[in-house]
Amino acid sequence: MRRRLLRWFGRHARELPWRSDPTPYRVWVSEIMLQQTQVATVLPYFERFLRTFPDVVSLAESDEQTLLSHWEGLGYYRRARSMHAAAKQVVEKHGGEFPTTFDEVIALPGIGRYTAGAILSISQQSALPILEGNTLRVFSRWIALRGVAPVDKEANRLLWLLAEKMLPRKRPGDFNQASMELGALVCTPTQPACDACPVTDLCGTNARGLQAEIPVKAVKTKYEDRTEFALVIAGEADDSDRYLLRQIPPGRRWAGLWDFPRSTEANLHSLDEAAKLIGKEIGVAVHPGQRLTTIKHAVTRFKISLHVHEANFGSVSEKDLAPWRFCSLQEIEDLPLSVTGRRIAKLLPAKNA
């Protein structure tokens, strides 16, 4: 199985920028970006990120706003903040050289067993197992893991053991990548291309015809419906191309990003209720207006209907609005926003057209 898989990988491996130059830093960046994100989405982000932060020192020295602006659209912003903290730790404790031992790598913020194994096996050919979405599925099918989801505690322990036992003495990092690549290209979640699989006759699931049943699906998250409101507040008549935003404080959803006035702390049922809460937070009475759009999206366990409305308030000094401030369209373009915040921002030029 090892030999066949490595031969297949040599012929079919995708050309990816972190594979062409697999330094620990580049592999680390790619692995963090790829968490819960598709390769096709990551590619342009990776290239841009490496142009701005070519090494761990430049990343450590960057300000958070610049980092978040390069992460905008990837979501799960905690990943970016953990990378920033890890880069600073590498500079402080390792002289700016990314460590190459398992204990040192796993001690970095945001890095667990899988990521540490991936970084070191891919960049150093270290004999470390990995287990992630693709290999959970591939290994579960190899051993025909029935009746239990691969994320179950005992099943997961068994799959980690398999991942370790399957490692070849030579090219363990290539074997890990080959296993992931097989899951991405051939052994897909639905309708796997078993005819194109290099190890199909060695696969327990294929032998039993159980491809549709293995792996067993984990219990899905039950989403709670939620209604939220966002307000687009323009400056006064002679300054109407500027809009009210603030940097989201720590402890709130999307902390560190910038956003329009928005209700996120409760499930609200009316625009007036939202305007009162938002006005209290800004420190001035807010008068909501017409609806601009409704955006459907999901965050953690919530399915959110975000109603976006125009709004205004009476004359007030900008210094009394702090930390809120009016930003021009150009400033908003350069600020890091959430995905929904950016969608709201794209409404603004059309509003004044």
Side-chain angles (χ1 to χ4, degrees):
M1 183 175 276
R2 294 172 182 136
R3 287 195 299 270
R4 289 193 200 175
L5 196 58
L6 285 168
R7 282 198 301 269
W8 173 86
F9 184 64
R11 294 192 298 269
H12 298 281
R14 289 169 292 180
E15 292 185 8
L16 302 173
W18 48 88
R19 285 180 179 164
S20 60
D21 183 17
T23 66
Y25 174 72
R26 289 167 63 88
V27 175
W28 171 53
V29 172
S30 72
E31 287 297 333
I32 300 300
M33 286 187 171
L34 286 166
Q35 291 172 7
Q36 298 178 310
T37 310
Q38 297 292 320
V39 169
T41 301
V42 164
L43 286 171
Y45 282 93
F46 181 84
E47 299 283 12
R48 179 174 175 236
F49 194 94
L50 265 291
R51 285 195 297 270
T52 304
F53 312 114
D55 52 46
V56 73
V57 175
S58 59
L59 178 57
E61 292 176 348
S62 69
D63 64 90
E64 186 176 272
Q65 289 296 287
T66 302
L67 173 59
L68 291 177
S69 69
H70 282 67
W71 204 268
E72 184 184 315
L74 279 175
Y76 304 99
Y77 291 91
R78 185 179 298 176
R79 295 180 296 172
R81 295 191 186 91
S82 293
M83 285 185 70
H84 205 196
K88 292 177 179 179
Q89 189 169 312
V90 169
V91 169
E92 292 168 4
K93 295 187 175 182
H94 304 287
E97 293 292 329
F98 202 93
T100 54
T101 69
F102 182 82
D103 288 343
E104 290 173 329
V105 172
I106 203 169
L108 297 174
I111 294 181
R113 182 181 180 184
Y114 158 71
T115 305
I119 293 168
L120 295 176
S121 69
I122 295 171
S123 70
Q124 309 295 307
Q125 291 295 328
S126 300
L128 293 168
I130 62 168
L131 199 62
E132 43 72 67
N134 283 315
T135 49
L136 275 171
R137 181 172 60 257
V138 168
F139 296 163
S140 294
R141 284 177 172 158
W142 283 355
I143 63 172
L145 181 66
R146 287 169 288 183
V148 61
V151 294
D152 174 83
K153 183 177 179 181
E154 285 304 310
N156 199 253
R157 183 192 64 78
L158 174 64
L159 292 170
W160 271 111
L161 180 62
L162 175 66
E164 184 176 358
K165 296 297 185 183
M166 284 298 301
L167 283 175
R169 288 189 298 273
K170 296 180 179 179
R171 301 172 60 195
D174 290 343
F175 177 83
N176 282 338
Q177 289 189 88
S179 301
M180 290 190 286
E181 197 80 336
L182 189 73
L185 301 181
V186 176
C187 195
T188 51
T190 59
Q191 297 182 326
C194 296
D195 290 345
C197 178
V199 294
T200 187
D201 59 322
L202 302 176
C203 174
T205 293
N206 182 60
R208 294 165 177 80
L210 297 174
Q211 290 89 332
E213 300 175 31
I214 298 176
V216 173
K217 291 181 174 62
V219 177
K220 286 188 175 181
T221 301
K222 291 184 178 179
Y223 287 96
E224 177 184 334
D225 289 332
R226 185 180 175 104
T227 301
E228 296 181 0
F229 295 85
L231 302 181
V232 173
I233 301 174
E236 297 182 1
D238 59 347
D239 196 21
S240 62
D241 64 342
R242 296 201 304 150
Y243 298 85
L244 192 69
L245 291 92
R246 69 152 177 190
Q247 189 174 23
I248 303 170
R252 294 284 189 90
R253 184 198 303 165
W254 303 314
L257 302 182
W258 288 73
D259 199 16
F260 298 88
R262 184 195 302 236
S263 65
T264 59
E265 302 305 302
N267 185 27
L268 302 179
H269 301 289
S270 76
L271 176 59
D272 288 338
E273 185 183 6
K276 285 180 183 178
L277 284 175
I278 293 170
K280 188 179 294 185
E281 194 161 5
I282 297 174
V284 62
V286 173
H287 309 291
Q290 69 176 0
R291 184 174 66 87
L292 297 175
T293 190
T294 294
I295 300 171
K296 304 279 190 179
H297 67 117
V299 176
T300 60
R301 68 182 191 277
F302 299 111
K303 279 186 176 179
I304 298 172
S305 295
L306 175 66
H307 302 299
V308 183
H309 287 256
E310 291 182 327
N312 61 72
F313 49 65
S315 180
V316 60
S317 169
E318 284 202 38
K319 69 179 181 180
D320 293 331
L321 289 172
W324 298 89
R325 68 182 178 91
F326 285 101
C327 302
S328 68
L329 294 177
Q330 183 56 55
E331 288 175 312
I332 293 172
E333 183 68 27
D334 295 334
L335 291 173
L337 307 178
S338 68
V339 170
T340 52
R342 185 61 65 195
R343 287 179 65 180
I344 295 171
K346 288 181 178 179
L347 298 172
L348 304 184
K351 172 179 177 288
N352 287 338

